[in-house]
Structures are given as C-alpha cells and as structure tokens.
Amino acid sequence: MNVSETGVTPRKPGDPRFNTVRRLPKSRLEQLLAALVISLVLTGAAVLIPTAAQRLLAFRPSATPLPTPTPTAPPASVLLPDELDRALEGVVTIVNSHTFGTAFLIDPQGDFLTAASLVAGGESLRLVDNSGSMHTVRLVGIDPTLGIAQVRVTTEGRPLPFGNPAVLLRNDPVVLLANPRIENLPPATPAVVSAATDTQLRLQAEDLPGNLGGPVVGPGGKVLGILTGNGTTLPINLAQPDIAQWHGQQGTEVALAPFPSFLVLRTNATTSPPPSSGPTVQAVSPSRVSTGQATLVSIQGSGFTAGPMLRIRFVPLASPSGAFTGLAPTLVSPSTLTVKVPAGQVVQDYVVQLTNGDGTIVSSRTGLTVTP
C-alpha cells in the first residue's frame, strides 16, 4: 500500500470509493441539478425583480393631476389708508340748482378746482365741505375749452399736491376721490387708465355724475388729473396756466343754491376728526330740518359735560341775522347731546356753536340746514 506524504492513501481508479458520485442514481443527479438551477433562478429574480419593478413604475403613465386654480391677484393698492385720509381732507362737494359734483382744494387761500359744467351759466352754488358744513362760493374763473373752473371758499382743509401725469401708462391704476360726507357717492373709486395722451386721459371706472370735477390721484395722493366728463380726465399740468392766472383774482360771489333733496349726508365722515384736547362737535343728525315743526336733533362729538352753562346755539352761515338757541339741551353721554330746534326758524344754513357745561365755547364747522 502506498502512502502519500500527507499520510493519506491515494485513491486509485479502481478503488470503489473513487466512483462514489458515479454510483449516485441518475434521477438523484437530475434532482440536484434541478434544485441548483431553481436556486440560481430564484436568487437572480430576488435581485432583478425590485429593479425591474422600479423601472416599470418609472415608465407607468400617471394620472393627469387636476389643475390648481390660481387665485386672481388683487389690484395694487394705489393709496395707503393714511394717504387716503389726508387726500380726502381737501375734497368737497359743489351743488348747483339741479345737480352736484366734486371739487378739490389746491392752495391754502381756499381755491378749489372743479369742472366748468358745474358752475357755468351764472347758476347759484353751494359748497359742502367734508365736515358737512355749507359755504357760499366765489367764482374765480372758467375755462370752457379745457372744461375746468376755479371757485374760492373760506374754509379749512388740506390742499392736494400735484403729480406728473406723464408717468401714467395704459392699465395703470388710479383713484377717483369724492367728499367722504356724501352718502350716495363713494369717497374712493378705483379706476384704470385705458388710454393716455398729452391732452387727455381715458379711464375705465364706475364713476357717477357726482364724481364730475373731482381729482384723479395716484400714489402718495398726488393729483394727476381732473375728471371733466364720463371717463374723461384733463391732465393736471394742463390746468396749471389757468390756476396761475386766476390766483390773484378776487372772483364774484354767487347766490347760495338750495340744498337738493337727492343729496344725502353721512352722519359720520370717513376721515378722522383732528385731534383736540378739548370738546369737539363732529356731526348733527338729522342735518336738515323743516321750519314748519320743532325737531329733536342729535349732536355727536367728544368731551361733552353737563352743567348750568350747557347751551347750543345755531349761527347763520351767510347772514348776519337769524341765529337762535336750541331748546332743552340734554347730555346723553360724553359724545352725544340732544337739543330741540324750534319751529319757525329762517330758511338757511347754520353752524353749531356749543357752550359746554363747564362754560367752554366750541365753534364748529358742522352744519344744519333749515328747509321750508
């Protein structure tokens, strides 16, 4: 017997142990091979199926998503709230014998610019400021070609600054302003420039007849034009030669127009009253009473006090006679008084003069109109 160097007897071809695998049944070999093939297939599938699945998912058509509605962007704000309040301080109402429109303050001496059609023809006029007070009017000048006019009134207010209308382009937003005291006319109406030339601006806006003569303003509350017709605006720079010419003229006083029944005043204006350390009178409701009957009116304000000195006097706006004292003044709260207007008073406009309960006298611009 041969022994190898490893100490293991080598097998010879004739050795029965050499043919151990060959002695396995054929069917057994086939089973082992089949099991091996199946194992290899399953192993490969385990590796390939996730990758294939990912690729199939990548190529699988997905459902078309529903379009998300895009919200319409709100129009750009032309004026900040404080800019709007400041601008409205200089915007008033012009009343003639058959209609009313708008005017705006252009200088500290009380000159107002408006539309020529509102004051032409020697009509009687009345100015209603944004506190509700009524004023007689002096007609300073009319330019029928440009469609503008200037009137003068002794009243308080904030002149509106002028801007440069040349900066306006098509689709630029602007705002039409009106007296905030008028109930049936919005104080601020948004508009869009539909066409702009050197001599005219066309506006797309829901303007009303009462907007005629009013200012068209842009950012900062600067006047860019004056509304002279339905959707038609005169660039403000074209009005400046007339304004310079009319500045030194005295004007002609015009008869006081009757207060129209179709003009409704708000009890409270949209602008804030100027700050004051003492009592103030801000509104009268109702603002129109009939001379044929006694009427109880309410006066709103601040700082009212009761006391033996409490008195409310109504002083004519444009006449040296006709003042009267209200009856039974009553303190309802520090911001509300009531007083009776006796029947038989002169038909005209009055302003309220309050003597507070402590003797403090307050002269206001708040108006009361006595009608027939």
Side-chain angles (χ1 to χ4, degrees), residues 273-308:
S276 173
S277 58
T280 62
V281 175
Q282 298 170 9
V284 176
S285 179
S287 60
R288 303 175 73 237
V289 300
S290 172
T291 188
Q293 62 183 18
T295 305
L296 185 69
V297 300
S298 175
I299 298 177
Q300 288 80 41
S302 62
F304 299 155
T305 59

Side-chain angles (χ1 to χ4, degrees), residues 1 24-25 59 75 102 125 151 181 197 217 240 269 297 310 326 340 344:
M1 178 182 295
L24 289 174
F59 288 103
T102 302
L125 298 173
V151 298
R181 179 63 69 175
T197 68
V217 303
Q240 290 178 328
V297 300
L310 183 61
K340 183 175 288 186

Side-chain angles (χ1 to χ4, degrees), residues 74 242 255:
D242 280 342

Side-chain angles (χ1 to χ4, degrees), residues 28 47 53 93 186-187 242 264 284 289 303 312 344 369:
R28 180 63 173 163
V47 174
T93 298
D242 280 342
V264 182
V284 176
V289 300
I312 299 172
T369 300

Side-chain angles (χ1 to χ4, degrees), residues 146-297:
L146 294 182
I148 60 172
Q150 185 171 307
V151 298
R152 185 171 298 141
V153 174
T154 303
T155 184
E156 299 177 9
R158 185 192 296 268
L160 274 70
F162 288 178
N164 179 13
V167 302
L168 287 176
L169 301 175
R170 189 172 181 271
N171 295 325
D172 278 352
V174 291
V175 177
L176 294 173
L177 298 183
N179 187 347
R181 179 63 69 175
I182 305 303
E183 179 72 36
N184 43 338
L185 188 63
T189 301
V192 174
V193 177
S194 58
T197 68
D198 292 340
T199 58
Q200 188 183 86
L201 301 173
R202 292 291 302 172
L203 302 182
Q204 181 180 349
E206 296 181 1
D207 57 313
L208 300 173
N211 287 117
L212 187 66
V216 177
V217 303
K222 293 184 177 181
V223 179
L224 302 175
I226 173 174
L227 191 70
T228 55
N230 183 21
T232 303
T233 299
L234 179 76
I236 195 61
N237 60 296
L238 299 184
Q240 290 178 328
D242 280 342
I243 294 172
Q245 178 184 348
W246 294 334
H247 182 75
Q249 298 184 13
Q250 293 298 317
T252 304
E253 188 168 346
V254 182
L256 186 66
F259 191 88
S261 59
F262 51 79
L263 189 63
V264 182
L265 300 184
R266 286 189 176 95
T267 301
N268 294 308
T270 58
T271 52
S272 303
S276 173
S277 58
T280 62
V281 175
Q282 298 170 9
V284 176
S285 179
S287 60
R288 303 175 73 237
V289 300
S290 172
T291 188
Q293 62 183 18
T295 305
L296 185 69
V297 300

